[in-house]
Structure formats: structure tokens, C-alpha cells
Amino acid sequence: MFERSNTSFTFRIAGFMAKHFERHKGTRFSVSEILYSFDGTSRKDKAYKSKSTAVRKLLKIFEEDFKANNCPPEKFHVKKGKSALYGYPSEIGFHPMEKWLKGKSKPLKRDRDEFLKDLILSSSGLLPDCMLETRKGILRNPSYYISFEQNECYKNRDMIADLFNYIEEKTVIEFQFTPYDAPARKVILSPYFLKEYNQRWFLFGYEHDKKKYNKSFPLDRISNLIPTEDSEIEYRRKPKDIDYTTYFDDIVGVTHELNNGKMNPEWNIMIKTRDKKVHGLIMSKPLMNKGRQKEIQAWNNNEHYGLIEIDACWNIELMAKLLHYSDGIQVISPNEAVDIMRNKINILCRLYNE
């Protein structure tokens, strides 16, 4: 079952503190250190005062738990000048906050499959929350009225709910990753984000062995997913300059890097439409979002063409989208993009002419 309270700051940081103190027995931390380790909040941040107040209240509950288990509170906190430091002693025979966390958890009246269906449904971004509401509450069976393209046979789709929780709880995970063209390898990851594209799910995070941010892993190539067994590995926080609400703005799909590890080139790509319906489709269902596509010339019924420009980083997903329109479009600039499209089409021609 899943827990509604997991989304509240107090509940999430309480769980983090319990795990953090457990992992670092014998070490003491200040309030500011606890907050920084949790989500990067520093004293300069506006939210520091309210967050630190919440942490101090939780620390009192920790102390009460120590008393209830006949353990002197002095073993939990020590004075250092005007400040106080908190943490578990090296030896502790109980689990502080365990009852409190369980008491704050309210099971949702839905199982894993329902959670997953809701998540996949919302991934389309087409169905506003208000459409799921009725006078009697939440619409229980939206599939009676509306349907989205989904791949219910997609391998490892049942991992999504677990990964969602690992991201929420800032848990380091490990798994076997098996690329199509390389041997399987073990990956240790601090997970940050899940994205669905073209009925396929991708996990983004920090790969500890390669010391690299924004590594992406398709879920269908993952196996043996568990929280890491190495307690020495700490969760690597997502840098503030990584914002997944804008990270995908300049690409189609999920790929920001070429096979050689270099970043995809960003081009102003001019597309000459050769079919009126295709022109209309690209304008009503843009290749790019957030102002990165504009109509240079509306469809000309006399000349039988239109012009559309997109500002995008070139990747394999964009090429696939363009090929999808077949002879309804022609990429006319830049020359690099034209050459890529020409070479791919020539390869396809040779295959069908063999």
C-alpha cells in the first residue's frame, strides 16, 4: 500500500532523519546540516526558518522516543557551544520514530495497479484533473469514457511505483543494466526523475561509478532493482541547475547526448512541407513546445508547400519524427541535418532495392 503523507515535508524529512541517523551512528549533526543533506536548503534560503522549525519539533519527538525506551536523551544530542548536535549513539537497541512514522501513514484505498494506471494516465498530460472529478468525488473508471495509447505489455512497468517512492524518499538504488549492444553491468544510482516517451519509460539520476549526472536508463533494460546494499554510499542530491521541468524543452524525446558522449548540436531546422494535411498536423501538434516552433510560411495552395522552423537539438528521436511524415516534408536546412536525412533515406532505399 502507498502512503498519502509521504508528500508532506514533515513526514518526508522525518523519514530521512531516521535513515540518516541510522546510517551514521556515532556521528552528530546540526539542524542546518540535516536540512542541507536532505534537500540542499541553506541558511540563506527563505524557507530555512520554517523548515528548521519543523526539524526542531521532530527532534523533540526523537528525544521523547529515547526517553520512552529508557535511553537518556543525552545520547541523542550533545551541546556544542550555543548549538546542539543530534544523532544516534554507536549502539542503539531500538528504532526511534518507527511508531510515529507508522502512525502518520494513511494507506490509500488503491493497490499498486491502480496507482500505476493513474501515473501512466497522467503522463500524457492531456487529461486535466477536473475531468476526473464528479459530484461524488474522483471518477473511479475513467477508461469508460476516455482512452490513451498505452503499452500494457511493456516490460518492467511494475517498477514505476517503486521507483517513484525511491525518488521521493531519496534512496540510493542498484540494478543490472543490459544495453542491447553491450554486456550487462551493475549500476548504482541516486534516482531523480521518471519520464515516459513513446510508450517507454526512462529513469534519470546520478550514476555513482561514472560520477555523472543525468544518466538515463530505459526501464525495459533494468533488472534486479533494489535499494543499494552498500550503506557507505550516500544519496547524491540533484544540483539546483538541473531542472527537469525545462530539461527536455530543446529536444524531442529523452536523448541529450550522441553515442560519442558529446552533446547534441542545436540547430534552427527549416522544414518544407509538401502536403497540406501534414502541414496542418505539424502546426496543430507541434514537433517542439514552448515557442521553439514557428510557421515561416502558411500553406500556399498555389505553390503547394509551407515552411516551418524548429529550434531543436538534433537527436535520433527527432529524426524518427521527421521520417514519420515520409514524403509529406523535406528538411532544407541546415546542411548538416539535410545530409543526415539524405544518408538515412539512402540506406532505407538500398534495403528495399536489394
Side-chain angles (χ1 to χ4, degrees):
M1 301 298 286
F2 294 88
E3 298 170 344
R4 188 182 303 278
S5 301
N6 278 359
T7 56
S8 73
F9 171 78
T10 301
F11 185 90
R12 288 188 292 115
I13 196 168
F16 167 79
M17 289 163 66
K19 291 179 181 179
H20 193 62
F21 293 152
E22 180 73 26
R23 185 180 297 160
H24 301 283
K25 290 178 181 177
T27 305
R28 301 292 191 274
F29 303 91
S30 65
V31 171
S32 59
E33 288 172 332
I34 292 170
L35 276 171
Y36 189 79
S37 296
F38 175 65
D39 63 1
T41 299
S42 68
R43 292 180 180 273
K44 296 179 181 179
D45 294 323
K46 293 181 179 179
Y48 179 81
K49 185 176 181 180
S50 60
K51 288 185 176 182
S52 63
T53 299
V55 169
R56 294 181 196 282
K57 289 180 179 179
L58 288 170
L59 289 169
K60 289 182 179 180
I61 299 175
F62 272 93
E63 290 185 1
E64 291 172 1
D65 222 353
F66 268 71
K67 291 179 183 178
N69 285 275
N70 298 317
C71 189
E74 292 74 20
K75 287 193 174 184
F76 174 64
H77 78 267
V78 295
K79 290 288 185 179
K80 186 178 181 181
K82 295 182 180 180
S83 303
L85 302 178
Y86 305 86
Y88 293 170
S90 299
E91 298 293 334
I92 183 171
F94 65 100
H95 298 286
M97 295 294 282
E98 187 174 45
K99 291 183 179 179
W100 187 91
L101 288 167
K102 286 183 178 179
K104 294 294 180 180
S105 303
K106 297 180 180 179
L108 291 176
K109 293 181 179 179
R110 58 182 182 178
D111 60 18
R112 176 184 295 268
D113 288 339
E114 289 174 329
F115 173 87
L116 187 58
K117 287 177 182 177
D118 287 350
L119 196 60
I120 292 175
L121 186 65
S122 65
S123 75
S124 67
L126 296 176
L127 190 62
D129 291 340
C130 61
M131 288 181 66
L132 292 178
E133 296 175 1
T134 68
R135 293 179 182 178
K136 296 182 179 180
I138 300 299
L139 187 64
R140 293 183 180 275
N141 294 299
S143 59
Y144 289 163
Y145 311 98
I146 191 167
S147 174
F148 292 98
E149 186 176 7
Q150 299 177 25
N151 187 349
E152 295 187 356
C153 297
Y154 179 62
K155 183 180 178 181
N156 290 340
R157 66 196 293 270
D158 58 337
M159 282 185 182
I160 297 172
D162 289 331
L163 288 168
F164 184 87
N165 281 340
Y166 290 145
I167 294 170
E168 183 76 9
E169 295 171 3
K170 294 180 171 57
T171 301
V172 180
I173 58 175
E174 63 182 64
F175 51 84
Q176 286 292 115
F177 177 61
T178 309
Y180 290 112
D181 56 355
R185 63 184 177 90
K186 180 180 177 181
V187 173
I188 297 177
L189 192 81
S190 290
Y192 298 151
F193 193 77
L194 283 165
K195 180 174 175 63
E196 182 261 346
Y197 174 71
N198 197 26
Q199 299 187 63
R200 198 181 190 200
W201 286 87
F202 296 83
L203 172 65
F204 287 78
Y206 175 82
E207 187 174 358
H208 288 259
D209 290 342
K210 294 193 174 183
K211 298 181 179 179
K212 192 168 184 179
Y213 291 98
N214 285 330
K215 289 292 291 182
S216 65
F217 300 91
L219 264 58
D220 53 287
R221 310 314 304 159
I222 289 175
S223 61
N224 303 326
L225 172 68
I226 58 170
T228 185
E229 296 176 338
D230 189 344
S231 60
E232 298 298 318
I233 300 177
E234 291 193 14
Y235 184 86
R236 179 65 67 95
R237 293 179 295 102
K238 178 173 67 67
K240 292 183 178 180
D241 61 347
I242 296 177
D243 182 357
Y244 286 110
T245 63
T246 59
Y247 181 74
F248 304 98
D249 286 355
D250 57 354
I251 60 172
V252 171
V254 298
T255 308
H256 257 292
E257 291 185 357
L258 300 171
N259 290 334
N260 58 11
K262 294 181 180 180
M263 298 303 290
N264 295 320
E266 184 170 354
W267 295 328
N268 289 321
I269 301 167
M270 188 67 70
I271 299 168
K272 188 172 187 178
T273 54
R274 297 289 190 170
D275 183 283
K276 185 175 183 179
K277 290 182 179 179
V278 170
H279 185 97
L281 179 59
I282 295 176
M283 290 308 301
S284 62
K285 186 188 176 189
L287 290 165
M288 302 297 295
N289 293 318
K290 299 186 178 180
R292 288 181 170 268
Q293 173 176 309
K294 56 185 176 182
E295 188 178 48
I296 303 301
Q297 178 178 307
W299 178 260
N300 187 314
N301 284 317
N302 295 323
E303 301 292 336
H304 301 289
Y305 79 92
L307 291 174
I308 298 172
E309 183 183 67
I310 61 173
D311 178 15
C313 290
W314 186 270
N315 61 14
I316 191 169
E317 295 100 312
L318 175 57
M319 182 174 66
K321 281 268 190 179
L322 296 173
L323 289 170
H324 166 76
Y325 291 110
S326 186
D327 59 353
I329 67 162
Q330 177 188 0
V331 176
I332 60 174
S333 72
N335 291 334
E336 296 91 337
V338 174
D339 289 341
I340 292 172
M341 292 293 289
R342 182 188 296 116
N343 291 337
K344 178 60 69 173
I345 292 169
N346 285 338
I347 291 172
L348 292 172
C349 287
R350 287 197 295 272
L351 287 175
Y352 283 96
N353 287 326
E354 288 180 349

